Each structure stands twice: as C-alpha cells, then as structure tokens.
Amino acid sequence: MKVAIQGIKGCNHYVAAKKYFAGKEIETIDCDTFKELARLVAEDPDILGIMAIENTIAGSLLQNYRIIREAGLKVVGEYKLRIKHALVALPGVKIEDIVEVNTHPMALMQCADYLERLGSLRLVEKDDTAGAARWISENNLRDHAAICPADAAELFGMEVLADGIETNKRNFTRFLIVAHPDVAQKIMVDQCPGGDVEGHVNKSELVFTLPHTPGSLSKILTVLSFYDMNLTMIQSLPIIGKEWEYQFYSSLMFDNYTRYRQAINAILPLTKEFRILGEYMEGQKSIENKL
C-alpha cells in the first residue's frame, strides 16, 4: 500500500501513517507540500494520503480543507496522534555541547519552556522536524540538535538527549486519510466490520456556501440541532474572486446514519453549493497516545 505524506520518513505524518495502518505493509511517499500530496492521490487511485487537518493547540489547517476540495478527494478516515517532541543529536554529543537547535517553527513554539531552561541557544527554523535531524546527520554537525519525533533519531543515526520536551502534554493533531473518489467507497466497505458502512460510519466532513442574506447560517445550525447532529467544527474561508462571500467547512458527528441523511436533505435547500468531502468512522487515539 502506498501512502503519501507531507514531509519525510520520521516526521509526524510518517508516525501517524504507520499507526493508522498498523499491521499492514505500507510504502510512504515523501511530499514537500500538501498540494503535491493531493495531486499524487488525485492522479493515482492506488495511492492514499494522510493530511494534518487540526491541532488542539494551533487550531485547524483550513487551507488543507480547500486543497482536499479542489483536488476532488474523499475523506475515508482519521487518526488522532499525540504530538511528542524529542531533542536529538549525533552520538556522543551532550546537551552542554549544543549551540544551535533546528526544527519546524511549530515545534519551537511547542517546546518553548524547555528551550528557555537550556539557556541562550540559537533557534533556527526548518521546513520539517525529521528533515532537521537528517540535515544535522548528513552534515555531521556535532554542536547542533534537532527537535523531532524520537523515532526519527534511530532513522538518521542520532541519539535522544531528552524526550517529551513539549510544554503541553495534551497536544494532539488530527489527520485525515484521503483517497481518490473512484476507490473511496471500496475502502470504506473494507474498513467497516461486515462491510456495513451505514451501521458504522459516524462522522463526516462537509463544505457549503450560503446565500448572502441575514440568518442564513443560523438556519443551518437550527436544522442540525433539530436532528441531533454534533457539530464539532465549523469555520469559514473566503471565496476567491467573490468579495465578502465564504465557504463553510464543518465536521459532524452522529450516532444514527438515517437521521444524519435526513439532516443533510433538510439543509440542502438552504445552501447555494453543498458537498460531502467524506463520511467515515471516528478515529480513536491509540492506547500508547493516551495520557
């Protein structure tokens, strides 16, 4: 199974892919950007993708919703990964030897308290956490350290100097599993026990636009509430070329598929454009990721 990730082997996308597809043999395809990832999945039905979509500290990655919609992909699953950061360096290097720390800017922010305790170090932003570790390893930089997942240290011949250095231990990222629309239904049938999609699907991702009239959004929310839909996320993005008009992206959870479809049918006449990006089973945090 081929799975496209944003980043390189050892990054959090790689970790999430290995955990979501645990028990299956997968080949990850490194992508520099989320757009490149989406393009690969859209062009080849044999490739799945995994994309970060929401973080409990930083919020939603709204542009990724737009990328999924524009590429015509379908969401077929999700995984919630606890984000753990480690300080890694070349073998034999000690913390007191380090003068520079390299990592993604988000990791720098999430480990700020730990880094402050280390004193005056140069903090340098890189495009990828695992990529920073690989760069240090390839260039044999013995006064540098990287912040990355602990698993990346072994991949690049490095050692973990400190693990769990993130400030907030309740830092989770939600990843969406995306597929070519031609294979999405088959994937869902294979994933659901007994092939019973309607009996096990309990979450969906939606995108819609509304008439530019007073109360248009509140009407949608009222209908969803009437049908007992759990609106876990709703955010808007401006429609390029249409001033002051927006697309709304939302996540719904439900325990009755029939009632969910009734809710969808009820809001359709209230929207200008409407699309279901995917229906899937809610992803659970794995045991090792729970606190």
Side-chain angles (χ1 to χ4, degrees), residues 86-90 93-95 97-103 108 115 118 121-124 126 129 132-133 135-136 141-148 158-159 161:
L87 186 73
V88 309
L90 291 172
V93 173
K94 299 179 181 179
I95 290 181
D97 300 328
I98 298 168
V99 298
E100 180 173 307
V101 176
N102 300 265
T103 191
L108 285 175
L115 292 171
L118 292 184
L121 297 174
R122 290 196 304 270
L123 306 179
V124 180
K126 297 290 185 180
T129 54
W135 177 73
I136 291 171
L141 301 174
R142 301 194 61 81
D143 57 355
H144 285 49
I147 295 176
C148 61
M158 304 180 77
E159 293 180 347
L161 301 182

Side-chain angles (χ1 to χ4, degrees), residues 111-166:
C111 300
D113 288 359
Y114 175 81
L115 292 171
E116 186 176 348
R117 292 197 297 270
L118 292 184
S120 55
L121 297 174
R122 290 196 304 270
L123 306 179
V124 180
E125 296 181 358
K126 297 290 185 180
D127 293 335
D128 182 59
T129 54
R134 183 177 67 179
W135 177 73
I136 291 171
S137 177
E138 290 176 345
N139 290 278
N140 195 33
L141 301 174
R142 301 194 61 81
D143 57 355
H144 285 49
I147 295 176
C148 61
D151 291 349
E154 183 177 354
L155 289 173
F156 303 117
M158 304 180 77
E159 293 180 347
V160 174
L161 301 182
D163 199 5
I165 64 173
E166 64 280 356

Side-chain angles (χ1 to χ4, degrees), residues 5-278:
I5 62 172
Q6 191 275 319
I8 67 169
K9 184 178 292 188
C11 71
N12 282 313
H13 275 80
Y14 175 82
V15 174
K18 298 292 277 189
K19 290 181 180 292
Y20 181 82
F21 295 103
K24 298 180 181 179
E25 185 176 343
I26 67 169
E27 173 192 345
T28 56
I29 303 173
D30 300 347
C31 299
D32 291 332
T33 66
F34 288 112
K35 283 190 175 182
E36 180 187 353
L37 184 159
R39 178 182 58 78
L40 288 178
V41 178
E43 291 176 352
D44 189 344
D46 291 331
I47 298 176
L48 297 179
I50 184 165
M51 297 178 67
I53 201 68
E54 185 179 7
N55 179 265
T56 53
I57 296 175
S60 297
L61 283 73
L62 281 177
Q63 291 300 327
N64 282 359
Y65 277 109
R66 176 176 282 166
I67 289 171
I68 291 170
R69 177 184 59 81
E70 292 179 348
L73 305 182
K74 281 288 188 180
V75 179
V76 295
E78 70 173 4
Y79 189 81
K80 300 167 186 173
L81 176 71
R82 182 186 166 196
I83 304 301
K84 293 184 64 179
H85 294 299
L87 186 73
V88 309
L90 291 172
V93 173
K94 299 179 181 179
I95 290 181
E96 53 266 31
D97 300 328
I98 298 168
V99 298
E100 180 173 307
V101 176
N102 300 265
T103 191
H104 189 276
M106 186 63 68
L108 285 175
M109 181 191 73
Q110 293 174 351
C111 300
D113 288 359
Y114 175 81
L115 292 171
E116 186 176 348
R117 292 197 297 270
L118 292 184
S120 55
L121 297 174
R122 290 196 304 270
L123 306 179
V124 180
E125 296 181 358
K126 297 290 185 180
D127 293 335
D128 182 59
T129 54
R134 183 177 67 179
W135 177 73
I136 291 171
S137 177
E138 290 176 345
N139 290 278
N140 195 33
L141 301 174
R142 301 194 61 81
D143 57 355
H144 285 49
I147 295 176
C148 61
D151 291 349
E154 183 177 354
L155 289 173
F156 303 117
M158 304 180 77
E159 293 180 347
V160 174
L161 301 182
D163 199 5
I165 64 173
E166 64 280 356
T167 302
N168 191 320
K169 305 304 180 184
R170 301 199 67 85
N171 179 11
F172 290 86
T173 293
R174 184 166 74 98
F175 295 82
L176 294 180
I177 315 304
V178 294
H180 190 285
D182 288 352
V183 299
Q185 185 60 28
K186 182 181 183 303
I187 291 171
M188 288 309 306
V189 170
D190 292 343
Q191 287 182 347
C192 293
D196 180 14
V197 176
E198 293 187 10
H200 291 89
V201 162
N202 63 350
K203 197 166 185 181
S204 70
E205 304 291 336
L206 312 176
V207 57
F208 55 88
T209 59
L210 297 173
H212 196 48
T213 56
S216 59
L217 179 57
S218 64
K219 292 175 184 176
I220 297 291
L221 300 180
T222 299
V223 171
L224 294 177
S225 176
F226 174 80
Y227 283 96
D228 298 320
M229 298 295 103
N230 183 7
L231 186 65
T232 59
M233 187 281 294
I234 182 166
Q235 290 191 279
S236 62
L237 273 175
I239 301 174
I240 298 174
K242 296 183 179 181
E243 296 80 5
W244 323 125
E245 293 190 35
Y246 301 87
Q247 284 177 324
F248 293 88
Y249 293 85
S250 65
S251 300
L252 285 185
M253 286 189 64
F254 47 89
D255 55 15
N256 185 304
Y257 188 81
T258 299
R259 195 159 177 80
Y260 156 72
R261 293 304 308 189
Q262 291 172 341
I264 296 300
N265 291 334
I267 66 173
L268 274 174
L270 304 175
T271 64
K272 290 176 64 178
E273 298 176 28
F274 181 90
R275 182 175 161 195
I276 298 174
L277 295 177

